[in-house]
């Protein structure tokens, strides 16, 4: 008799903790909820559970990820710039839409600069940075480059969908 009440109380605690503290406990809450929650509990509170967890998870899952980086794993100052998809394949053509660009600039002599229709994002040359850009790519030609080094450049064509 007490089990359902305890389960609901636990869910409320998890939901409350998740909303106020989602940055510090993203792994704990989603892992605990499905194993401890019977199907009746999930149907009684679908909006609370899905919205508190879904915000970050669905945003990442539904928007394709690109990775822009300079240097190589062995030498962050190597004169290399790359733009790859989630599978590590070089990207030269993409359909228009929203993307998350995960940017890795471990170099003090290079930067990453993505420029094209509606987009002008860059890291700074001296600072080493790991960041994310949420971009809305439109049909047209984009260029990603390292500003001080003209040889470090790549082109991306975005096509109509
Ligand atoms: Cu450079």
């Amino acid at each position: 008799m007490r089990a359902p009440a305890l389960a609901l109380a636990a869910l409320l605690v998890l939901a409350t903790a998740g909303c106020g503290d989602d940055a510090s406990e993203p792994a704990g809450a989603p892992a605990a909820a499905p194993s401890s929650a019977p199907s009746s509990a999930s149907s009684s509170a679908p909006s609370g559970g899905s919205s508190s967890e879904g915000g970050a998870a669905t945003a990442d899952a539904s928007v394709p990820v690109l990775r822009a980086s300079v240097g190589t794993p062995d030498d962050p100052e190597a004169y290399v710039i790359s733009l790859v998809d989630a599978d590590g394949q070089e990207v030269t053509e993409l359909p228009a839409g929203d993307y998350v660009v995960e940017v890795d600039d471990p170099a003090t002599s290079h930067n990453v600069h993505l420029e094209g229709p509606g987009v002008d994002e860059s890291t700074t040359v001296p600072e080493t940075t790991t960041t994310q850009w949420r971009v809305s790519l439109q049909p047209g030609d984009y260029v990603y480059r390292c500003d001080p080094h003209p040889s470090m450049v790549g082109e991306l064509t975005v096509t109509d969908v």
Side-chain angles (χ1 to χ4, degrees):
M1 277 190 147
R2 291 191 171 190
L6 286 173
L8 283 175
L11 283 174
L12 287 173
V13 170
L14 285 172
T16 305
C19 289
D21 213 13
D22 55 355
S24 63
E25 297 192 28
S35 60
S36 66
S39 55
S40 61
S42 61
S43 64
S44 69
S47 59
S50 61
S51 69
S52 63
E53 289 174 27
T58 53
D60 289 343
S62 63
V63 179
V65 173
L66 307 173
R67 297 196 172 90
S69 62
V70 292
T72 65
D74 289 339
D75 180 8
E77 306 297 336
Y79 283 54
V80 174
I81 191 166
S82 66
L83 181 68
V84 302
D85 62 18
D87 297 326
Q89 299 294 314
E90 184 183 351
V91 171
T92 58
E93 190 173 311
L94 286 173
D98 291 343
Y99 293 85
V100 170
V101 184
E102 294 184 345
V103 184
D104 187 18
D105 172 7
T108 57
S109 63
H110 307 305
N111 75 338
V112 180
H113 188 176
L114 175 65
E115 189 173 17
V119 175
D120 187 1
E121 298 275 6
S122 59
T123 63
T124 63
V125 173
E127 270 185 311
T128 62
T129 310
T130 301
T131 188
Q132 281 192 349
W133 301 331
R134 175 78 177 245
V135 296
S136 185
L137 299 181
Q138 303 162 24
D141 293 329
Y142 289 76
V143 173
Y144 56 96
R145 62 172 173 266
C146 166
D147 290 310
H149 303 123
S151 68
M152 297 173 62
V153 64
E155 293 180 0
L156 169 65
T157 300
V158 175
T159 59
D160 231 329
V161 285

